[in-house]
Each structure stands twice: as C-alpha cells, then as structure tokens.
Amino acid sequence: MVVKGVVECRGRLVLAGVLEGSVTGGVLEITETGRLTGEVHNDEVECAGHLQGDIVTASFILRPTGCHVGKAETRRLTVDPGAILDCVLQSGSEVPEGRQAGADREGSGPKFELSQVLAAFQEGFRPCCMDIPWSARLELFNQVLVLLQKGKPLIKVIGETGSGKTVLAEKLRRNPPAGYECLRLAAGIDSLAGLFQALAAALAVAGAESLAQIDLLVRLKTALDDRRGRGQRVVLLLDEAEAMDPAVVEGAVRFLTKAFDGEEMLQLVLFGTRELETNMAPAVAEYFADETNCQLRLAPLAVKDTADYLRFCLQLAAAGNGSASLAFLPYETIRTLHVLSRGNIAQINRLADQALQKAHAAGAQVIYPDFL
C-alpha cells in the first residue's frame, strides 16, 4: 500500500507499506516493511523500517532493523544495536506541545552571542575537515596512510578546485606515519631539473645548485639511502600536479620511485584535478590502470559530513560553550548550505562565514537560511 499526502491520527498508527508525506498525532509504529519519507510530529515514534525526514517527538525508538536519516528532536531516545541513525540530533530536552515545522522564531535562539564565534569559518582559525571523527574525509586520509605503509610507490588523489587537496597534502606533511618524512612541493616547477633542485633543497642537500642533473640525482639517492638506513622513509607530495608538464611528472615517477620496476628512492603522491588524469603520460596512466586501489578521490561532502563539519567549527570557536553553539545552525540552514555549496569544502566555508557575518550584523541569535 502506498499513501501520498498528510496523515493525522490521534491513536496508534502502524505503517507496513509506503507513506510519502507528513504524519502527526499519537503513536507511530513503522514495521520492518514500512517506509516513510516526510516530516513526523508524533507523541511517540517506533521505527523498525526506513524513515527519512525530520522528527519531533517525545520518545523515539529505533529498532535493530530500523534506519533514520534526517533531523531528530526528542526528549527520550532509544537506539537498539544494529540500527542506523544518520541525523542531526537534539535529545534530552522538552519538546514543546504542538511544535510544528516553521514555528515562530522569536525566542528560539541560544543564550550565546554570535559575536563570540565570528571567526569560526575563517582561514587560520577553522579546523581541518579531516579532524572530524567518523567523517569520510578522515577515512580517506587514513587510506593514504595505509597505502604508504604498504609501500605503494605511487598514489594519486583527484578532487575539484576547493575540495581540500592542499589541506590533505598539508595534513600529510604535518602528520605523517611513524618513521616517515613527507615533503610537499607545489605548482611552479616547469622542468625535471627544477623538481630535483626543489627536492634537494627540501632534503637539505648541500651544494646542489652547482651540480649537473645526473650528479644531482646521485646525491639525492645518497641522501634518501641515508635516511632509509636510519629507518626513515621519504614521501614526496606533488600538489597541483595538473599544472606540471606530463613529462616532468613522468620523469619524477621514473627516476624517484620504483613504480616502473626502478630502484627504490621515495614514495610519490600526486594531487590534482581531473585535468591531471587527461594530461597524464601513458606509462603513468597504465600504472594506475593496474593499481586501482592507489587512485583516491576527494568527493564532495555528504550532508552528514557537512553538518558535522559546520557544528565542529562552531564548537571549536565557542571554546567551552560548545553545546550552546550547536543551536546556532538549524538543520534547515545546514541542508540549504549543503545544496548551495554542492559539498565543496571551500564553498561551505565561504557561505557559512558569509551567513554568520550577516546574522551577526542583523542582531540575530540563529543563522537561518535567509542569511545564505
């Protein structure tokens, strides 16, 4: 059975089919076969099926086979082992009787001034998106670490502009695996000799400026062998690799890694946009065709990771009043911001900072979607 529309029930409503719309009333029970998409405002909600949408209820019980995606506001929460809860959650507070979506905003804001978190999304203050626990970005960072520890000579990370490639490269430089040293080189290198010189400078190889390319390569190998003899491996991070000549990238792979069955010197991680893949030398492309697990993509943030990141930034800026700061961003704002930014981390920061400044200038206590 499929129902589309608005359902009101004062007693107990059991859903075993499909409901697309809103539900209000007493007790709502969603069985294992039940699927509900829409807003829920019931006294009690018990879900063993699939529920997608915002919930306002006094009691929310999620059974082992249940799944909820959306926003949940409840006084009592029970989640059985095996259930899936993927939502923005406010639990433990009284739910006002008759509370409806789009209720009057007057007096609903937190007792905490926006002026105290104005720098939350600004460069130099905001946290790294890979610091968020359980996020897809943290998982990707850990994937890179695992590949390096497995000794993979060549790894590729692709992402659109603003997706956080440079942030990832810098995090790897600052937080390498134990026994590793990560060196980061950015765009602006237009020759293989220039790349060797930049690497020599990063490794503090004395007198490298006056050496011919073949001699410089020997000195680089000696410096890398010395580090390896002391139990330290070196990783070269090439940021904005799509801006480099494909021949330079291929030369770096050939001379510095064992990706083409050469002599081991260091491990190489390429960071670039999709243009890097289209400009890649055939030999390098063939390597990744065989080593598919060494190709990683910085996909746009999912709405869950967007919500976690935004709230994490505010909690950090609130410095000791993190719980109050959570109320600054209603789920409606998060959802709107996610749609506008398309999950691009640079756009998320820009839009969030813009909305925060506008809300503060307007004297608001909450960052509503109107400020985006």
Side-chain angles (χ1 to χ4, degrees), residues 192 196 213-214 217 250-257 263 265:
L192 193 57
F196 287 165
Q213 182 170 307
I214 186 65
L217 190 59
E250 182 183 9
V253 175
R254 261 183 212 288
F255 289 108
L256 299 177
T257 78
E263 190 173 0
M265 290 182 66

Side-chain angles (χ1 to χ4, degrees), residues 117-181:
V117 294
L118 282 179
F121 303 103
Q122 293 176 7
E123 188 173 357
F125 189 88
R126 61 183 181 244
C128 170
C129 61
M130 279 160 284
D131 291 336
I132 314 299
W134 310 111
S135 68
R137 289 303 177 89
L138 178 59
E139 182 180 342
L140 186 139
F141 173 73
N142 290 330
Q143 280 182 280
V144 177
L145 297 185
V146 168
L147 290 172
L148 290 175
Q149 291 168 325
K150 285 182 176 180
K152 296 295 184 180
L154 184 59
I155 302 167
K156 178 180 64 178
V157 180
I158 297 297
E160 64 180 74
T161 302
S163 62
K165 299 184 297 298
T166 298
V167 173
L168 174 56
E170 188 61 19
K171 185 173 177 63
L172 282 168
R173 188 187 71 80
R174 293 174 180 268
N175 303 279
Y180 278 74
E181 179 184 5

Side-chain angles (χ1 to χ4, degrees), residues 63-368:
R63 295 306 183 193
T65 56
C67 173
H68 173 232
V69 178
K71 175 184 176 182
E73 186 174 342
T74 180
R75 193 185 328 158
R76 295 187 303 275
L77 173 67
T78 302
V79 181
D80 291 344
I84 298 174
L85 185 64
D86 183 3
C87 69
V88 175
L89 176 66
Q90 181 177 330
S91 179
S93 60
E94 292 290 332
V95 178
E97 185 176 354
R99 168 80 177 273
Q100 298 289 339
D104 188 3
R105 297 176 177 180
E106 186 67 30
S108 62
K111 304 302 180 183
F112 193 72
E113 294 297 328
L114 283 176
S115 59
Q116 300 179 53
V117 294
L118 282 179
F121 303 103
Q122 293 176 7
E123 188 173 357
F125 189 88
R126 61 183 181 244
C128 170
C129 61
M130 279 160 284
D131 291 336
I132 314 299
W134 310 111
S135 68
R137 289 303 177 89
L138 178 59
E139 182 180 342
L140 186 139
F141 173 73
N142 290 330
Q143 280 182 280
V144 177
L145 297 185
V146 168
L147 290 172
L148 290 175
Q149 291 168 325
K150 285 182 176 180
K152 296 295 184 180
L154 184 59
I155 302 167
K156 178 180 64 178
V157 180
I158 297 297
E160 64 180 74
T161 302
S163 62
K165 299 184 297 298
T166 298
V167 173
L168 174 56
E170 188 61 19
K171 185 173 177 63
L172 282 168
R173 188 187 71 80
R174 293 174 180 268
N175 303 279
Y180 278 74
E181 179 184 5
C182 289
L183 308 174
R184 176 173 164 252
L185 301 181
I189 300 173
D190 56 4
S191 68
L192 193 57
L195 189 146
F196 287 165
Q197 288 288 349
L199 178 59
L203 291 171
V205 175
E209 301 83 0
S210 59
L211 294 175
Q213 182 170 307
I214 186 65
D215 296 325
L216 178 55
L217 190 59
V218 172
R219 292 286 295 276
L220 287 174
K221 183 180 185 309
T222 301
L224 293 167
D225 285 344
D226 178 64
R227 280 170 166 77
R228 196 158 45 249
R230 291 185 274 115
Q232 187 178 46
R233 302 179 69 88
V234 175
V235 179
L236 179 59
L237 312 172
L238 282 186
D239 197 6
E240 301 180 53
E242 78 280 358
M244 297 182 183
D245 190 289
V248 175
V249 176
E250 182 183 9
V253 175
R254 261 183 212 288
F255 289 108
L256 299 177
T257 78
K258 61 175 183 178
F260 299 154
D261 297 324
E263 190 173 0
E264 180 179 6
M265 290 182 66
L266 52 69
Q267 291 168 272
L268 182 62
V269 184
L270 304 175
F271 296 87
T273 61
R274 290 181 181 178
E275 188 178 352
L276 171 63
E277 295 183 309
T278 59
N279 293 342
M280 196 173 288
V284 180
E286 287 174 11
Y287 170 85
F288 287 113
D290 295 331
E291 293 283 353
T292 54
N293 62 327
C294 292
Q295 302 182 76
L296 304 176
R297 295 190 180 275
L298 280 169
L301 295 190
V303 65
K304 172 188 175 296
D305 283 342
T306 299
D308 288 345
Y309 173 71
L310 292 169
R311 294 183 183 277
F312 190 78
C313 288
L314 287 172
Q315 284 180 302
L316 182 67
N321 204 344
S323 59
S325 72
L326 293 181
F328 284 145
L329 271 177
Y331 183 67
E332 292 77 11
T333 304
I334 293 174
R335 185 168 52 190
T336 303
L337 194 153
H338 177 73
V339 170
L340 292 175
S341 68
R342 298 183 180 180
N344 182 287
I345 190 66
Q347 292 298 325
I348 289 172
N349 287 322
R350 183 185 66 80
L351 290 168
D353 182 63
Q354 170 187 296
L356 177 57
Q357 305 303 323
K358 285 185 177 180
H360 176 253
Q365 286 279 339
V366 176
I367 307 170
Y368 292 111

